[in-house]
Amino acid sequence: MAACPYGRASMCFPLAIPAQAALRAVEAAEGLQVIAAEVAGYTTGKTRAAGADSVRVRLPPAGLATVLEQGAHLVTVRASGRSGWLLGLAGTLVGRAEGDPEAAEVVLLARPDEKMRSVMYLPEATIRELLPEGSAVELRALRFLLPVQHDCPEQWLRDRLLRLANLVEEAYADARAPEPSPEEVRG
């Protein structure tokens, strides 16, 4: 089990979504095709400068499995040998001659606040413990969110991550549903 202290999104970078929306999204991913991937590294300089932490995963060639199209996606990620899925915002990284994504950088939204009402991004130390470099991981792509632009500054990425989180909240939060219990958030 990877240790993860409670977190609270900062005022200047409030990257978090309601726990209820995260649970609904993970539930919506059940039964979707699993993409086998490998942990290739961790937070890029731009993502760190934007204020978040992430895991980078190497995707299989398109001929072996359905890979993500270029852009930002809502995904779930599972460590090899684990049963629980973590929600993430994934941005594809181009590298293959055919234009297919070679990798994805995923900001995992799985760190609860003290009241278990929202989840924010996992710190890199927790990601490294849970997903060691070179280890196998599985992804499920829930939905394409927005096109990706690789040549933009850190402030743009910060704003983009907040917009992506807002899209997830809009798609999966239901104001009429009761708040999840701490047991449901803990999984």
Side-chain angles (χ1 to χ4, degrees):
M1 176 175 268
C4 182
Y6 293 114
R8 193 172 119 212
S10 71
M11 294 296 281
C12 63
F13 185 51
L15 181 61
I17 61 171
Q20 176 185 30
L23 290 171
R24 287 176 184 272
V26 169
E27 185 177 288
E30 287 297 317
L32 294 178
Q33 180 180 359
V34 174
I35 301 168
E38 178 184 327
V39 175
Y42 302 97
T43 314
T44 60
K46 185 186 277 190
T47 299
R48 184 173 320 294
D53 292 321
S54 65
V55 61
R56 289 181 294 121
V57 297
R58 189 171 300 110
L59 299 170
L64 297 177
T66 301
V67 291
L68 304 173
E69 63 181 281
Q70 285 297 332
H73 298 262
L74 179 61
V75 300
T76 56
V77 177
R78 178 168 67 182
S80 181
R82 306 278 181 154
S83 61
W85 292 88
L86 303 175
L87 192 64
L89 301 173
T92 56
L93 304 170
V94 181
R96 295 195 176 102
E98 306 84 43
D100 292 329
E102 179 177 289
E105 184 173 12
V106 185
V107 175
L108 296 169
L109 299 171
R111 181 180 182 187
D113 64 4
E114 287 187 26
K115 294 183 180 183
M116 305 271 184
R117 291 192 178 144
S118 65
V119 290
M120 64 177 290
Y121 63 89
L122 285 178
E124 188 172 306
T126 302
I127 296 170
R128 285 178 179 269
E129 186 178 338
L130 181 63
L131 305 169
E133 192 162 354
S135 66
V137 294
E138 298 173 324
L139 281 86
R140 287 181 172 159
L142 273 81
R143 65 172 50 197
F144 177 85
L145 295 172
L146 291 172
V148 70
Q149 293 175 275
H150 295 287
D151 58 349
C152 297
E154 293 84 5
Q155 178 60 46
W156 177 89
L157 179 57
R158 179 180 300 134
D159 294 344
R160 181 62 145 218
L161 288 168
L162 294 173
R163 175 70 180 125
L164 295 172
N166 187 58
L167 289 172
V168 174
E169 182 175 349
E170 289 173 357
Y172 294 98
D174 182 352
R176 296 166 292 156
E179 288 290 323
S181 70
E183 293 76 28
E184 288 176 298
V185 174
R186 284 187 201 111

